[in-house]
Amino acid sequence: MDGNGIWRFYNTWAKICYDASMKPRAQAVYKASEAPVHCRFTVHASLDNSSDLLSTEIQVAKSKRLDLENVFLQFVAHKRKADLTELEAPWRMHKFGLSHDALFKLKQTHGNLAQCSAVHTRDFVTKHGISFVSSNDLICAIFWRAISRANAITNPDNPLTCLMLACDVRNRINVPSTYTGNLSFPLIIHMTKDMICQQTVTETATHIRHEINNITPAFVQEMLGLMSCGKTMQNLVSIFDPANSFLSASITSGFRMYEMINFGFGKPAHIDIPAYLKPGFSIWLPTRSNKTAIFINIALRDDVFRLMMNDEEFRTYIDLIH
């Protein structure tokens, strides 16, 4: 179950409780207007029958799959035989915030593609038909770049850096709106640390947007096959090694958590989801603050965190909460 399924469940549960608290027990029977769909076959059938599977999209999808398989193997090849002390390097979760003013400044400075001065960036934008970069693209770029710069110092042996986004593909394939299974698709973007360090924030954000735009039904179908392979999953684990340059963004800040849920006791005062899984994992959360636009919980190795706190570009936009 992905974020859409989870919050649909919470809201259904909340409505049942709310109705029960407001109506006589005999009338407090909640009838869902649309029954949830659980069958995974719905997804595969939608992809198999999709009219959007163009030959060009299939070729791009197969090429991306081969490229990703090669990246997995490169991470395996660079897996260091570190001693136990190094593998257990201290790490902890930190909470960062991005103010409304900082977000406005970020979008004004790096989000206007029409005013981009770098010729190669304009050429990339024109070639791939990129019309915009989102706020999330820009924030991802800021965090990914800071982690990559820090990791270039803490782990210079591995030249690769990786970003994994949990992308909702519900609007890209033909499935019922009530499907409650996991359609949060793992999009893995990679480049070398040298490349990302030489880019501008705008270039990194456009690179992210280009990869997101490539999520077609053909790509989803190809990647479902890749992720179902046991060997692939074994190689994928190598990316999550604490020593690697890795950022995983679970973006839940778009869910209207504070507005929707009411179990009959009022709406929540605060919602928090910790990010303790591995260094590099982050969870983005909405806020009720008039000052802060978004909270980001992220697990970081202590050495990477210290370097990020001295990163001028990162600190220009991002505030440490705790």
Side-chain angles (χ1 to χ4, degrees):
M1 185 179 290
D2 58 14
N4 278 283
I6 290 171
W7 289 105
R8 182 182 179 85
F9 166 76
Y10 280 155
N11 286 319
T12 303
W13 183 17
K15 181 169 177 57
I16 293 171
C17 294
Y18 183 84
D19 286 352
S21 68
M22 297 297 168
K23 299 178 181 179
R25 184 175 299 274
Q27 299 178 15
V29 178
Y30 176 69
K31 295 182 179 179
S33 58
E34 295 179 295
V37 176
H38 302 281
C39 181
R40 187 72 173 175
F41 175 75
T42 304
V43 178
H44 293 280
S46 169
L47 291 169
D48 291 341
N49 297 326
S50 176
S51 60
D52 297 329
L53 299 185
L54 304 177
S55 59
T56 53
E57 292 181 351
I58 293 174
Q59 291 173 5
V60 170
K62 290 186 179 296
S63 174
K64 293 292 293 181
R65 173 173 177 161
L66 291 173
D67 177 58
L68 192 53
E69 288 177 330
N70 183 48
V71 169
F72 289 160
L73 294 177
Q74 288 184 63
F75 270 98
V76 171
H78 283 97
K79 187 173 178 62
R80 298 190 294 178
K81 295 181 179 178
D83 58 33
L84 187 60
T85 303
E86 183 176 8
L87 290 176
E88 294 183 346
W91 59 275
R92 66 202 70 199
M93 190 191 83
H94 300 275
K95 182 182 290 292
F96 293 97
L98 182 73
S99 69
H100 289 286
D101 290 342
L103 180 57
F104 178 80
K105 179 181 178 181
L106 178 61
K107 292 164 70 173
Q108 287 290 104
T109 306
H110 301 290
N112 193 336
L113 301 184
Q115 296 181 3
C116 181
S117 59
V119 176
H120 50 288
T121 304
R122 293 204 306 268
D123 291 343
F124 182 86
V125 166
T126 303
K127 177 182 177 181
H128 296 289
I130 300 172
S131 58
F132 77 101
V133 290
S134 70
S135 298
N136 287 343
D137 297 337
L138 291 166
I139 299 169
C140 272
I142 291 293
F143 271 86
W144 189 18
R145 289 163 58 79
I147 287 175
S148 299
R149 284 191 290 265
N151 194 266
I153 297 172
T154 61
N155 183 12
D157 295 339
N158 189 344
L160 298 176
T161 182
C162 219
L163 168 67
M164 186 168 77
L165 297 174
C167 295
D168 183 10
V169 301
R170 291 168 186 273
N171 295 329
R172 299 171 189 258
I173 60 178
N174 185 24
V175 295
S177 60
T178 55
Y179 179 73
T180 58
N182 188 1
L183 286 177
S184 188
F185 191 79
L187 174 64
I188 300 174
I189 309 171
H190 65 89
M191 63 177 76
T192 65
K193 296 171 189 172
D194 286 343
M195 182 184 298
I196 197 171
C197 290
Q198 292 170 8
Q199 292 179 340
T200 64
V201 175
T202 305
E203 288 175 311
T204 306
T206 54
H207 188 89
I208 293 170
R209 175 48 46 184
H210 170 58
E211 295 294 334
I212 293 174
N213 289 346
N214 274 337
I215 302 180
T216 61
F219 185 51
V220 173
Q221 188 176 52
E222 195 70 29
M223 293 303 293
L224 283 174
L226 176 63
M227 293 302 175
S228 65
C229 173
K231 184 67 174 177
T232 295
M233 299 310 294
Q234 292 176 11
N235 291 337
L236 178 61
V237 171
S238 64
I239 295 180
F240 304 151
D241 187 288
N244 285 331
S245 178
F246 171 74
L247 171 64
S248 172
S250 228
I251 303 173
T252 64
S253 50
F255 292 111
R256 299 165 61 190
M257 301 179 186
Y258 291 102
E259 299 176 28
M260 298 186 294
I261 298 177
N262 187 344
F263 284 85
F265 306 101
K267 296 179 180 179
H270 180 70
I271 297 174
D272 207 356
I273 305 174
Y276 282 124
L277 191 56
K278 284 278 189 179
F281 277 88
S282 69
I283 296 177
W284 302 22
L285 296 162
T287 78
R288 299 187 70 176
S289 168
N290 293 326
K291 180 180 178 181
T292 306
I294 185 174
F295 285 135
I296 296 177
N297 291 336
I298 182 170
L300 294 169
R301 282 176 49 139
D302 287 358
D303 51 356
V304 171
F305 169 73
R306 286 192 294 270
L307 289 167
M308 289 175 67
M309 288 297 93
N310 292 317
D311 188 299
E312 183 178 354
E313 179 186 277
F314 182 77
R315 294 309 304 272
T316 297
Y317 301 103
I318 309 298
D319 297 319
L320 176 65
I321 307 300
H322 60 73

